[in-house]
Amino acid sequence: MGRRVSLLGLCFWVCTFVCGAVSADSHSSRGENTVQVNVSVGKSAIAEIDEDFVCATLDWWPPEKCDYGVCSWHSASLLNLDLSNKILLNAVKAFSPLKIRLGGTLQDKVLYNTSDLKEPCTSFVKDSSIMFGFTQGCLPMARWDQLNAFFEESGAKIIFGLNALNGRTIPSQGPAVGAWDSTNAESFIRYTVNKNYKIFGWELGNELSGNGVGTRVAAGQYASDTISLTNLVLDIYKDVEPKPLILAPGGFVDSLWYKEFLDKTPKSLDVITHHIYNLGSGADQHLVEKILDPTVLDGELATFRNLQSIIKSSASATSVVAWVGEAGGAYNSGRDHVSNTFLYSFWYLDQLGMASTFDTKTYCRQAFIGGNYGLLDATSFVPNPDYYR
Ligand SMILES: *[C@@H]1O[C@H](CO)[C@@H](O)[C@H](O)[C@H]1NC(C)=O
Ligand SMILES: *[C@@H]1O[C@H](CO)[C@@H](O)[C@H](O)[C@H]1NC(C)=O
């Protein structure tokens, strides 16, 4: 069931998060000092969002990921995040349920250490001469077990971003060549289902649509790979309910690419995801002025409108919905003293409102923790102002 978007709803929702507080104490004091204010502005709904519209991401970036000389990820990677931290647990629990999308740039270089893996399970190693600046990495199954224990305890709904570059050749120019090799993903999904871990959705790939970031995959190829994923998931989950969602492509909206992709995946895709970094680079000295400029913020309206119309006119119109799968405002990890301050809420709240009016069902903020744009501080785990939005 969806939630109606009206100004009344948004105001109430903002208050709920602004007035709440999260403490490391297991008897959370959240809500004790809540002042309820009812603001009645309008009652007619203009769109519907998911009941659990709020989503945040966890990424793979290792501590060695640095941007413009600032290393802002610390131990916030899926591979090393301290899952025993009480603030982290309570911060996820407070949303019950919080959707968490696991992924990011390096997801298309991650191997899963299931029994089919024919090579050693090694960590990412920094190498600025190669695509994405790191070698391939690997998720040990022991770590996957720990992550799932945490997700279950915190009540999170997990969207897992699969490596969509497996098996392809990446030429120096032009799109990646060849079909997706789903072997490792298949055994990873089987392992997950055998362990009874609940995955809300499986997403294929990260930022490979259109011109791509680092490399790209042609829309027709991506559509056939997505259909392969759907068939695989239906087979693995044949005796399991509920079925997980299938999401793709988690990239930037490119009209022709998205249109072709949607036309070629009718009934295979549940959610079309797109990413937003509408504030430009985190290195920009004028980021503050941009955030306070409504013209800059409204620049994203065209993308939402465009995607909405592409969906409506596509062969998937009745079966697919749109999510923002990852949005961090300023790319390359945000900017210290800007994306982790109260000021960033002018961007974030504007985006939440804008997305919902264009029928976006879920909005995933980059990142729950990590970089300069985390909802939690990457070292202290203390919530930044945007957490309360
Ligand atoms: C606000 O609205 C809610 C739901 O209709 C109601 O229960 C509550 O008493 C109202 N609060 C105030 C302060 O009017
Ligand atoms: C990967 O799996 C193999 C075989 O089960 C195991 O021997 C190895 O220790 C695992 N590697 C890591 C890093 O977990």
Side-chain angles (χ1 to χ4, degrees), residues 3 8 69 81 123 363:
R3 177 186 289 182
L8 175 65
L81 181 64
S123 310
Y363 191 105

Side-chain angles (χ1 to χ4, degrees), residues 113-115 117 119-122 138-142:
N113 197 27
T114 49
S115 49
L117 194 67
E119 48 193 302
C121 181
T122 54
C138 179
L139 173 63
M141 289 304 99

Side-chain angles (χ1 to χ4, degrees), residues 346-365:
F346 287 94
W347 167 77
Y348 188 32
L349 287 174
D350 185 68
Q351 278 285 295
L352 292 175
M354 190 187 298
S356 59
T357 62
F358 285 95
D359 254 334
T360 304
K361 302 300 181 188
T362 292
Y363 191 105
C364 302
R365 164 69 183 257

Side-chain angles (χ1 to χ4, degrees), residues 172-236:
S172 54
Q173 286 198 338
V177 178
W180 177 49
D181 179 349
S182 60
T183 317
N184 192 218
E186 175 173 358
S187 59
F188 178 64
I189 299 172
R190 284 195 194 282
Y191 177 95
T192 302
V193 170
N194 287 340
K195 287 270 182 167
N196 218 6
Y197 298 150
K198 303 273 176 294
I199 298 298
F200 191 70
W202 294 100
E203 184 172 31
L204 186 63
N206 181 81
E207 299 178 1
L208 302 169
S209 60
N211 291 327
V213 174
T215 186
R216 62 193 164 98
V217 174
Q221 180 63 56
Y222 217 99
S224 81
D225 298 329
T226 302
I227 292 167
S228 304
L229 173 62
T230 305
N231 292 337
L232 203 67
V233 165
L234 285 176
D235 179 43
I236 298 171

Side-chain angles (χ1 to χ4, degrees), residues 80-362:
N80 60 19
L81 181 64
D82 176 10
L83 303 172
S84 66
N85 184 291
K86 276 267 162 51
I87 305 180
L88 181 71
L89 177 65
N90 285 334
V92 177
K93 264 188 176 172
F95 282 89
S96 55
L98 175 67
K99 282 187 185 128
I100 305 181
R101 174 262 188 173
L102 315 182
T105 304
L106 292 181
Q107 85 178 49
D108 292 314
K109 284 200 166 191
V110 176
L111 301 175
Y112 320 114
N113 197 27
T114 49
S115 49
D116 74 290
L117 194 67
K118 300 285 180 291
E119 48 193 302
C121 181
T122 54
S123 310
F124 295 115
V125 177
K126 195 179 170 82
D127 180 349
S128 51
S129 72
I130 57 176
M131 185 179 67
F132 309 147
F134 285 86
T135 62
Q136 75 180 23
C138 179
L139 173 63
M141 289 304 99
R143 179 64 182 176
W144 184 229
D145 295 341
Q146 290 166 2
L147 283 164
N148 279 283
F150 174 80
F151 297 145
E152 181 161 6
E153 189 181 1
S154 60
K157 287 182 167 177
I158 302 306
I159 295 92
F160 189 93
L162 294 163
N163 176 345
L165 286 181
N166 224 336
R168 300 190 216 269
T169 308
I170 298 161
S172 54
Q173 286 198 338
V177 178
W180 177 49
D181 179 349
S182 60
T183 317
N184 192 218
E186 175 173 358
S187 59
F188 178 64
I189 299 172
R190 284 195 194 282
Y191 177 95
T192 302
V193 170
N194 287 340
K195 287 270 182 167
N196 218 6
Y197 298 150
K198 303 273 176 294
I199 298 298
F200 191 70
W202 294 100
E203 184 172 31
L204 186 63
N206 181 81
E207 299 178 1
L208 302 169
S209 60
N211 291 327
V213 174
T215 186
R216 62 193 164 98
V217 174
Q221 180 63 56
Y222 217 99
S224 81
D225 298 329
T226 302
I227 292 167
S228 304
L229 173 62
T230 305
N231 292 337
L232 203 67
V233 165
L234 285 176
D235 179 43
I236 298 171
Y237 282 81
K238 63 178 176 298
D239 300 317
V240 182
E241 293 291 342
K243 308 286 185 226
L245 297 177
I246 301 294
L247 306 88
F252 294 95
V253 175
D254 170 298
S255 303
L256 290 176
W257 197 102
Y258 267 64
K259 170 105 179 78
E260 182 182 351
F261 178 67
L262 276 175
D263 282 340
K264 290 180 173 169
T265 50
K267 300 198 184 75
S268 281
L269 188 68
D270 299 302
V271 181
I272 183 132
T273 44
H274 69 113
H275 292 183
I276 297 176
Y277 285 92
N278 60 326
L279 297 174
S281 161
D284 190 342
Q285 308 265 349
H286 300 285
L287 204 52
V288 170
E289 289 89 322
K290 281 176 144 181
I291 292 164
L292 295 174
D293 183 348
T295 316
V296 172
L297 299 182
D298 280 352
E300 198 59 22
L301 283 166
T303 303
F304 280 111
R305 199 175 285 129
N306 185 20
L307 181 59
Q308 192 181 40
S309 90
I310 293 170
I311 294 171
K312 274 187 184 153
S313 68
S314 78
S316 301
T318 54
S319 54
V320 83
V321 297
W323 287 18
V324 171
E326 181 189 313
Y331 62 77
N332 287 339
S333 310
R335 186 177 179 84
D336 196 14
H337 307 301
V338 179
S339 52
N340 45 10
T341 67
F342 178 81
L343 177 99
Y344 220 51
S345 304
F346 287 94
W347 167 77
Y348 188 32
L349 287 174
D350 185 68
Q351 278 285 295
L352 292 175
M354 190 187 298
S356 59
T357 62
F358 285 95
D359 254 334
T360 304
K361 302 300 181 188
T362 292

